[in-house]
Amino acid sequence: MPLDHAEQETRSPDGFTCTGWRTEIRHVIHSAGADSGCGCHLPQGATAHLPRHTASDCVLRQYQDYSIACTLPMRALVRVSGSWMIPRTLASILDRRDEQESTFHTAGQRCDHCGEVGSDGSWRTPTAGGWKTVCPACAAATLQRYRRELQGVPYARVREHGPSAAGFLCAVCETARPATDWDHCHGHSLIRGPLCGSCNTMEGQGKDFLARPGSVRHLLRCDGCRARRILPPHHRLAALRRHLHLTRGVRGCEWPLHMHVVLEEADHGYDFTVHCPGSQHRTRGGGNVRLTYEEAEQILSRTVDEGLAQDA
């Protein structure tokens, strides 16, 4: 089955466009340089001891043999008379994948309660009964907003006796979204509040959770952290990244915090490189920063003060 055949784009009711597997494979081939030049990127002179080859040879060497379900490799990509081709059976499988992906995307955008179709995948969320799609209006109408009912309660007690976090809205998301888990401080084992699956995962990773409005306030809803005026250990470096991004990063850059600010621990402090990969202007105020431990502690203290002020 040749890859050169034009394929029609399919568009779901919410505006999602599926380009299809042919376009995806052509993009891989083009990115590998098969249509323009060899993509080996070997050191100068290294090709002198290699057999004469073309960019297409490089692509075939990497992609032509493919294993499916741990079977023997099949010839998945060939070059015939200047055209790229794949087996008809594999093409049929990929056609079915495109159909299922389009159907799944449309279903994942339609609210299970009112039937309204959303513009992106943010309505879809995991629950105890499986994945569900709930629009913000239905979420706000059917779920409780958390009002610190479990302030100071140990997580072990809630895990054993309830209530379920599924009955609440996420305590951090600005748009009403169903919660899935009771977030708790691992240092003090106290409940902080209900979080959706996305916020709970980001909090556990400690990378980009602090980029969300109200996240510092949420972390300080642990009575232990609040009394000691500290952030959890895995959020301390994230708080420094957040400060340097806000003060030296490019305004409006949407790349993740851990990509904005690269950290290396050095003697008597930290070395930071601030850059915004998604922007033509890398930084404002200089890209390389050295923070002493004392300066870092001052930044963390101000971050805590900001969170406490939001919760006043």
Side-chain angles (χ1 to χ4, degrees), residues 166-220:
F168 292 84
L169 296 171
C170 178
V172 170
C173 283
E174 294 182 293
T175 302
R177 184 175 170 84
T180 58
D181 302 277
W182 284 113
D183 176 50
H184 64 287
C185 175
H186 289 258
H188 300 100
S189 298
L190 298 176
I191 290 290
R192 287 190 291 236
L195 293 182
C196 67
S198 177
C199 285
N200 191 55
T201 299
M202 294 182 73
E203 189 285 318
Q205 292 176 345
K207 285 185 177 179
D208 303 305
F209 182 67
L210 293 189
R212 302 199 169 189
S215 55
V216 176
R217 174 183 59 192
H218 174 80
L219 294 176
L220 293 172

Side-chain angles (χ1 to χ4, degrees), residues 144-151 153 168:
Q144 302 180 56
R145 190 169 297 279
Y146 182 67
R147 304 188 186 283
R148 305 195 205 181
E149 292 89 340
L150 301 178
Q151 186 84 21
V153 177
F168 292 84

